[in-house]
Amino acid sequence: MLKLNTITMAIVMAFAVPLGAQETEQTADDAAKQAAAKNDTAIEVISVTATKRKTKLMETPVAISALSEAQLRQSGVNNVKDIADLVPGLDISTATDQAAPVISMRGVRSTNITELGDPAVGVHLDGIYSPRMQGALALMYDVERVEALRGPQGTLFGRNSTVGSINVISAKPDFSGFAGNINAEAGRFNSKNLGGFVNIPLSDEFAVRIAAKGLKRDSYLEGYWDPNQYDTRHLSDEVLNAPVISEDSYQGVGSTVTQRENWWIDGAGTDPEAQRVRALTPADKSDFYNNANEHSFRISTLWQPASGQFSNHTVFQQYVNDSAGTLDLVNCDQLRGRPAEFGGDCSSFLPSDNTYQAVVNVPGKLNLDITYLRNTLNYTLNDEMSLVWLLGYEDMDRSSAQDSETGLDPWDGAIYFLKGTGATSYSTELQLQSDEFGDLVWIAGINYFHEKTKTVGYYDNPMDDKAFWDQPDRSTEAYALFGQATYNISDDLHATFGYRFSHETKQDKGGRTYRCSNADGCAPGWLNRSVLNALPVDYFNDPALYASYFENDNKGQWRNHDFRIGLDYKLAVSAMYLRW
């Protein structure tokens, strides 16, 4: 209730300040017109922080795409996944069982997005690393810009930026005046998108900005509930009592594999009603897989004394996703026309020849709750040197349920992550930077990162094997020393030298993987479908039921040295750089 009230407050305050916003926009428009009158050929100057300092995009020798909020809004971008079509060489898919994106740049990626793995493309929020890739799906709103850096970023960004880095930079409070904005969108699949912000300068030195966004959308899938799958504990009476289309299996009746080829159905229990093959029941799109039900709010402050010696930017953000999660889909376009001897196309094992459809027996569920706290302090030591201190904290809780075989195989299966699964991390980085006016421009720093994850969940094959994961304490501790300098050999030729030393420790304390099968008596036994479906839906949530386990306790340490040596040559005033 507190979260909803905060979002409502932000939106109401945005409604209350149309005059302030209009006055600010008019002043900005007048200034823009005066500037244009002075120089008809003036173009927008875009600043980026690809080198951990503010530089002009056209003067930054890095393969980078910078996207403004206007571009993001025009393209309908809601999260990091949506920018894939806007950045060359970027591809973003989704690991549905982990509810996390898999980011690829230039064809390189890391597919292990569990608590054991690390991404190949690092995601940063306001310059601070976000370790769990689920956080990349957080709603993107009221941003200053998004920077996508292509190519290795090891010396400056280090950890998990092997092939690139994405930095989402939120809009900062400003002192120009009291202003606000609200926007609403409606679209297909009953989509509703509402967001806005309010900027409040409390004094000439301190300002607050409150932003919020909510997104709700029905599923775009053609979804069906299937009472013919082995596990029917999650299905409603309406689905279980769907019209009978065959008295037994292998009659060639029905449109799916589970209707036509359930080899176990004739002997799976003693209930005659459960032996029959039944019709599929269309699902309600409002709570079916691939729907959206998300909201987020952000409160940020900026303190910048008149002396100009330092500025401090603090961000608190909350993101909640309470949807049905996502599913892996069959690409019917690529399968179309495949001969029957090789399995046929989608019309052979799905209700229709349509990629966007799913047949399931387990309702999807995704509860993702992430809290962020970020702080950036810029302190000017003297005319030639400044200090930057970054602090970040992130806390994620999640639980989910997902149908894993989606009716494409008579062997039923589902994956569950239970409450208690999550991750907590904090990081800090201290940078010492030179000014930008000499022939030698440099940066040096130290970074520390700590993360602890907890995983509680299991894979359930209702016919036989199950595996329960109880990982109460998996941790990562890392620190790094880095430095990078660029020397201007001439006005057009620049040499860059960079180095980073990294040390990382990963450890698993008390981790267990429990096992259960028909052979050890944990599962009801082969073909005992009636016995299984009399059990509660959460029956296998308890690891005490499982017959055996193996220990996952482990510890490893790694050290790494990253180097960068480069030459950048500026071909022309209006051109980007040629790099070696």
Side-chain angles (χ1 to χ4, degrees):
M1 184 63 69
L2 177 60
K3 297 175 184 175
L4 294 176
N5 287 342
T6 306
I7 296 174
T8 304
M9 179 185 70
I11 294 174
V12 169
M13 293 179 72
F15 268 124
V17 294
L19 294 179
Q22 183 177 0
E23 181 179 351
T24 302
E25 291 174 2
Q26 185 175 357
T27 303
D29 289 343
D30 291 342
K33 290 177 181 177
Q34 292 174 7
K38 293 181 180 179
N39 185 4
D40 293 336
T41 62
I43 61 173
E44 181 183 6
V45 176
I46 301 175
S47 296
V48 295
T49 53
T51 56
K52 293 212 170 188
R53 61 171 71 242
K54 200 168 185 178
T55 59
K56 296 178 182 178
L57 177 61
M58 291 295 291
E59 297 179 1
T60 304
V62 177
I64 179 174
S65 296
L67 306 171
S68 67
E69 184 181 24
Q71 291 174 285
L72 299 174
R73 189 180 301 173
Q74 185 178 14
S75 301
V77 170
N78 286 310
N79 54 49
V80 166
K81 185 179 177 182
D82 295 335
I83 71 171
D85 294 334
L86 305 178
V87 178
L90 177 65
D91 179 75
I92 304 178
S93 58
T94 302
T96 57
D97 58 334
Q98 294 285 338
V102 178
I103 305 178
S104 169
M105 271 190 180
R106 297 178 173 177
V108 180
R109 65 178 180 175
S110 171
T111 56
N112 188 348
I113 41 73
T114 68
E115 71 281 1
L116 288 174
D118 295 307
V121 179
V123 174
H124 297 76
L125 306 175
D126 292 320
I128 297 171
Y129 177 62
S130 180
R132 290 299 101 207
M133 295 306 292
Q134 290 87 354
L137 294 177
L139 290 172
M140 192 181 296
Y141 59 97
D142 193 36
V143 299
E144 182 179 316
R145 65 187 179 279
V146 175
E147 299 176 4
L149 283 65
R150 301 184 296 280
Q153 308 297 325
T155 54
L156 284 181
F157 291 91
R159 161 178 187 79
N160 310 323
S161 297
T162 309
V163 295
S165 174
I166 297 174
N167 191 8
V168 181
I169 301 169
S170 61
K172 295 181 178 62
D174 65 72
F175 309 105
S176 61
F178 192 67
N181 170 276
I182 190 167
N183 58 81
E185 298 177 3
R188 295 178 61 193
F189 309 110
N190 199 28
S191 175
K192 304 178 185 68
N193 194 330
L194 179 65
F197 77 89
V198 57
N199 185 80
I200 310 170
L202 298 179
S203 70
D204 294 337
E205 300 180 349
F206 190 83
V208 178
R209 191 179 185 100
I210 302 172
K213 183 173 183 177
L215 171 64
K216 194 165 186 178
R217 187 199 66 237
D218 290 350
S219 173
Y220 52 81
L221 301 182
E222 180 185 322
Y224 299 92
W225 301 114
D226 185 2
N228 307 291
Q229 297 187 30
Y230 199 87
D231 187 355
T232 61
R233 291 175 297 162
H234 303 270
L235 301 176
S236 66
D237 290 340
E238 177 189 4
V239 175
L240 296 176
N241 296 319
V244 175
I245 60 175
S246 176
E247 290 297 326
D248 54 28
S249 61
Y250 282 109
Q251 300 301 309
V253 178
S255 58
T256 67
V257 174
T258 51
Q259 289 175 321
R260 296 196 304 260
E261 301 178 14
N262 278 340
W263 49 267
W264 43 260
I265 199 169
D266 295 326
T270 57
D271 182 4
E273 290 297 318
Q275 318 278 101
R276 297 185 171 101
V277 179
R278 297 183 179 273
L280 306 177
T281 301
D284 183 349
K285 291 181 179 294
S286 65
D287 59 359
F288 194 70
Y289 287 96
N290 290 49
N291 71 338
N293 185 17
E294 308 167 69
H295 62 268
S296 178
F297 74 92
R298 183 191 308 125
I299 302 174
S300 59
T301 63
L302 180 62
W303 180 27
Q304 189 169 307
S307 64
Q309 190 171 7
F310 75 90
S311 67
N312 192 82
H313 179 218
T314 304
V315 178
F316 175 82
Q317 184 173 341
Q318 186 85 20
Y319 167 73
V320 175
N321 186 334
D322 186 14
S323 66
T326 58
L327 282 175
D328 292 321
L329 306 175
V330 179
N331 192 325
C332 294
D333 293 334
Q334 292 187 1
L335 288 180
R336 192 165 293 122
R338 187 174 67 168
E341 57 266 30
F342 296 110
D345 57 17
C346 286
S347 59
S348 302
F349 49 81
L350 289 171
S352 63
D353 185 12
N354 172 22
T355 293
Y356 300 102
Q357 65 179 314
V359 180
V360 300
N361 64 324
V362 175
K365 180 185 73 171
L366 174 61
N367 300 117
L368 186 61
D369 192 324
I370 310 177
T371 300
Y372 305 90
L373 183 61
R374 304 186 290 272
N375 193 83
T376 303
L377 172 67
N378 289 273
Y379 190 90
T380 302
L381 298 174
N382 53 49
D383 293 340
E384 299 178 351
M385 197 179 304
S386 61
L387 185 71
V388 178
W389 185 17
L390 302 174
L391 284 170
Y393 170 83
E394 183 174 319
D395 183 71
M396 179 186 73
D397 294 312
R398 71 180 173 101
S399 60
S400 63
Q402 183 199 44
D403 193 301
S404 59
E405 96 302 329
T406 61
L408 301 176
D409 193 313
W411 287 85
D412 201 356
I415 295 177
Y416 304 89
F417 288 98
L418 308 180
K419 288 185 177 180
T421 298
T424 301
S425 66
Y426 54 85
S427 64
T428 184
E429 181 169 301
L430 196 63
Q431 304 169 10
L432 196 61
Q433 300 182 4
S434 70
D435 62 33
E436 304 174 14
F437 306 108
D439 288 334
L440 182 65
V441 178
W442 55 269
I443 179 175
I446 182 170
N447 178 281
Y448 175 77
F449 171 83
H450 176 83
E451 180 186 36
K452 178 180 176 180
T453 67
K454 182 178 180 181
T455 302
V456 186
Y458 64 102
Y459 168 75
D460 182 10
N461 172 0
M463 297 182 185
D464 192 1
D465 297 312
K466 310 173 199 316
F468 190 100
W469 313 295
D470 184 6
Q471 314 293 343
D473 186 1
R474 274 184 171 162
S475 63
T476 298
E477 191 162 23
Y479 68 85
L481 303 170
F482 66 92
Q484 185 163 300
T486 298
Y487 180 72
N488 300 326
I489 300 174
S490 68
D491 291 342
D492 298 325
L493 183 62
H494 315 285
T496 299
F497 306 91
Y499 169 74
R500 188 182 190 99
F501 170 75
S502 302
H503 182 280
E504 182 168 337
T505 303
K506 284 181 177 285
Q507 187 170 9
D508 188 322
K509 296 180 181 179
R512 303 287 184 269
T513 297
Y514 295 85
R515 295 171 171 174
C516 167
S517 67
N518 294 327
D520 57 30
C522 174
W526 282 104
L527 302 182
N528 284 338
R529 189 183 185 217
S530 298
V531 176
L532 169 72
N533 288 307
L535 299 175
V537 294
D538 60 352
Y539 181 78
F540 294 104
N541 288 18
D542 183 3
L545 297 173
Y546 293 69
S548 61
Y549 68 86
F550 61 86
E551 299 179 354
N552 297 323
D553 296 77
N554 205 347
K555 184 177 182 179
Q557 291 185 336
W558 299 265
R559 293 177 176 86
N560 193 57
H561 301 271
D562 289 304
F563 300 91
R564 179 186 175 189
I565 300 175
L567 287 175
D568 305 300
Y569 183 74
K570 192 172 184 179
L571 297 174
V573 175
S574 59
M576 293 293 282
Y577 284 83
L578 181 65
R579 307 183 66 200
W580 293 273

mmCIF file of all heavy atoms in Angstrom, residues 202-217:
data_model
loop_
_atom_site.group_PDB
_atom_site.id
_atom_site.type_symbol
_atom_site.label_atom_id
_atom_site.label_comp_id
_atom_site.label_asym_id
_atom_site.label_seq_id
_atom_site.Cartn_x
_atom_site.Cartn_y
_atom_site.Cartn_z
ATOM 1 N N LEU A 202 13.979 23.067 -3.936
ATOM 2 C CA LEU A 202 13.674 23.559 -2.594
ATOM 3 C C LEU A 202 14.488 24.803 -2.258
ATOM 4 O O LEU A 202 14.109 25.565 -1.377
ATOM 5 C CB LEU A 202 13.929 22.458 -1.573
ATOM 6 C CG LEU A 202 13.065 21.194 -1.739
ATOM 7 C CD1 LEU A 202 13.432 20.165 -0.684
ATOM 8 C CD2 LEU A 202 11.583 21.547 -1.655
ATOM 9 N N SER A 203 15.612 24.967 -2.935
ATOM 10 C CA SER A 203 16.434 26.162 -2.779
ATOM 11 C C SER A 203 17.331 26.257 -4.005
ATOM 12 O O SER A 203 17.226 25.444 -4.931
ATOM 13 C CB SER A 203 17.282 26.081 -1.496
ATOM 14 O OG SER A 203 18.297 25.102 -1.631
ATOM 15 N N ASP A 204 18.204 27.249 -4.000
ATOM 16 C CA ASP A 204 19.143 27.375 -5.113
ATOM 17 C C ASP A 204 20.217 26.293 -5.086
ATOM 18 O O ASP A 204 20.992 26.155 -6.039
ATOM 19 C CB ASP A 204 19.820 28.750 -5.083
ATOM 20 C CG ASP A 204 18.837 29.874 -5.350
ATOM 21 O OD1 ASP A 204 17.788 29.596 -5.968
ATOM 22 O OD2 ASP A 204 19.118 31.015 -4.931
ATOM 23 N N GLU A 205 20.260 25.524 -3.981
ATOM 24 C CA GLU A 205 21.322 24.529 -3.830
ATOM 25 C C GLU A 205 20.802 23.107 -3.703
ATOM 26 O O GLU A 205 21.594 22.160 -3.762
ATOM 27 C CB GLU A 205 22.169 24.862 -2.595
ATOM 28 C CG GLU A 205 22.842 26.222 -2.653
ATOM 29 C CD GLU A 205 23.666 26.504 -1.412
ATOM 30 O OE1 GLU A 205 23.532 25.714 -0.437
ATOM 31 O OE2 GLU A 205 24.439 27.471 -1.402
ATOM 32 N N PHE A 206 19.493 22.924 -3.517
ATOM 33 C CA PHE A 206 18.955 21.586 -3.262
ATOM 34 C C PHE A 206 17.646 21.398 -4.015
ATOM 35 O O PHE A 206 16.747 22.244 -3.936
ATOM 36 C CB PHE A 206 18.732 21.374 -1.763
ATOM 37 C CG PHE A 206 18.401 19.955 -1.392
ATOM 38 C CD1 PHE A 206 19.418 19.032 -1.219
ATOM 39 C CD2 PHE A 206 17.088 19.557 -1.230
ATOM 40 C CE1 PHE A 206 19.124 17.711 -0.870
ATOM 41 C CE2 PHE A 206 16.781 18.248 -0.881
ATOM 42 C CZ PHE A 206 17.808 17.317 -0.701
ATOM 43 N N ALA A 207 17.535 20.283 -4.759
ATOM 44 C CA ALA A 207 16.328 20.000 -5.540
ATOM 45 C C ALA A 207 15.968 18.530 -5.418
ATOM 46 O O ALA A 207 16.832 17.665 -5.202
ATOM 47 C CB ALA A 207 16.538 20.377 -7.004
ATOM 48 N N VAL A 208 14.669 18.257 -5.577
ATOM 49 C CA VAL A 208 14.139 16.894 -5.492
ATOM 50 C C VAL A 208 13.370 16.595 -6.776
ATOM 51 O O VAL A 208 12.683 17.460 -7.324
ATOM 52 C CB VAL A 208 13.193 16.738 -4.276
ATOM 53 C CG1 VAL A 208 12.602 15.335 -4.232
ATOM 54 C CG2 VAL A 208 13.926 17.055 -2.986
ATOM 55 N N ARG A 209 13.493 15.361 -7.249
ATOM 56 C CA ARG A 209 12.748 14.925 -8.432
ATOM 57 C C ARG A 209 12.077 13.594 -8.105
ATOM 58 O O ARG A 209 12.733 12.656 -7.627
ATOM 59 C CB ARG A 209 13.691 14.768 -9.624
ATOM 60 C CG ARG A 209 12.981 14.562 -10.972
ATOM 61 C CD ARG A 209 14.008 14.432 -12.090
ATOM 62 N NE ARG A 209 13.429 14.357 -13.404
ATOM 63 C CZ ARG A 209 13.342 15.370 -14.261
ATOM 64 N NH1 ARG A 209 13.817 16.565 -13.897
ATOM 65 N NH2 ARG A 209 12.804 15.219 -15.451
ATOM 66 N N ILE A 210 10.788 13.516 -8.358
ATOM 67 C CA ILE A 210 10.013 12.293 -8.124
ATOM 68 C C ILE A 210 9.453 11.839 -9.462
ATOM 69 O O ILE A 210 8.814 12.618 -10.180
ATOM 70 C CB ILE A 210 8.862 12.524 -7.125
ATOM 71 C CG1 ILE A 210 9.414 13.048 -5.794
ATOM 72 C CG2 ILE A 210 8.068 11.248 -6.916
ATOM 73 C CD1 ILE A 210 8.331 13.480 -4.823
ATOM 74 N N ALA A 211 9.694 10.580 -9.816
ATOM 75 C CA ALA A 211 9.208 10.032 -11.077
ATOM 76 C C ALA A 211 8.576 8.676 -10.815
ATOM 77 O O ALA A 211 8.960 7.960 -9.884
ATOM 78 C CB ALA A 211 10.345 9.910 -12.089
ATOM 79 N N ALA A 212 7.609 8.309 -11.643
ATOM 80 C CA ALA A 212 6.921 7.032 -11.469
ATOM 81 C C ALA A 212 6.394 6.550 -12.811
ATOM 82 O O ALA A 212 6.181 7.343 -13.740
ATOM 83 C CB ALA A 212 5.772 7.172 -10.467
ATOM 84 N N LYS A 213 6.195 5.242 -12.894
ATOM 85 C CA LYS A 213 5.638 4.660 -14.110
ATOM 86 C C LYS A 213 4.925 3.356 -13.769
ATOM 87 O O LYS A 213 5.379 2.596 -12.911
ATOM 88 C CB LYS A 213 6.729 4.395 -15.151
ATOM 89 C CG LYS A 213 6.189 3.858 -16.479
ATOM 90 C CD LYS A 213 7.276 3.780 -17.534
ATOM 91 C CE LYS A 213 6.701 3.303 -18.860
ATOM 92 N NZ LYS A 213 7.724 3.287 -19.936
ATOM 93 N N GLY A 214 3.828 3.100 -14.462
ATOM 94 C CA GLY A 214 3.113 1.841 -14.335
ATOM 95 C C GLY A 214 2.772 1.303 -15.715
ATOM 96 O O GLY A 214 2.435 2.068 -16.623
ATOM 97 N N LEU A 215 2.875 -0.004 -15.885
ATOM 98 C CA LEU A 215 2.580 -0.644 -17.167
ATOM 99 C C LEU A 215 1.747 -1.889 -16.914
ATOM 100 O O LEU A 215 2.117 -2.747 -16.112
ATOM 101 C CB LEU A 215 3.880 -1.033 -17.883
ATOM 102 C CG LEU A 215 3.747 -1.897 -19.150
ATOM 103 C CD1 LEU A 215 2.991 -1.131 -20.238
ATOM 104 C CD2 LEU A 215 5.119 -2.337 -19.662
ATOM 105 N N LYS A 216 0.628 -1.962 -17.626
ATOM 106 C CA LYS A 216 -0.229 -3.146 -17.524
ATOM 107 C C LYS A 216 -0.683 -3.534 -18.929
ATOM 108 O O LYS A 216 -1.100 -2.674 -19.714
ATOM 109 C CB LYS A 216 -1.427 -2.875 -16.618
ATOM 110 C CG LYS A 216 -2.172 -4.133 -16.199
ATOM 111 C CD LYS A 216 -3.104 -3.875 -15.028
ATOM 112 C CE LYS A 216 -3.712 -5.185 -14.539
ATOM 113 N NZ LYS A 216 -4.580 -4.979 -13.367
ATOM 114 N N ARG A 217 -0.583 -4.838 -19.245
ATOM 115 C CA ARG A 217 -0.945 -5.295 -20.585
ATOM 116 C C ARG A 217 -1.370 -6.749 -20.533
ATOM 117 O O ARG A 217 -0.782 -7.557 -19.797
ATOM 118 C CB ARG A 217 0.253 -5.159 -21.529
ATOM 119 C CG ARG A 217 -0.052 -5.454 -23.001
ATOM 120 C CD ARG A 217 1.197 -5.750 -23.791
ATOM 121 N NE ARG A 217 1.830 -6.978 -23.347
ATOM 122 C CZ ARG A 217 3.071 -7.057 -22.916
ATOM 123 N NH1 ARG A 217 3.833 -5.980 -22.851
ATOM 124 N NH2 ARG A 217 3.574 -8.222 -22.516
#
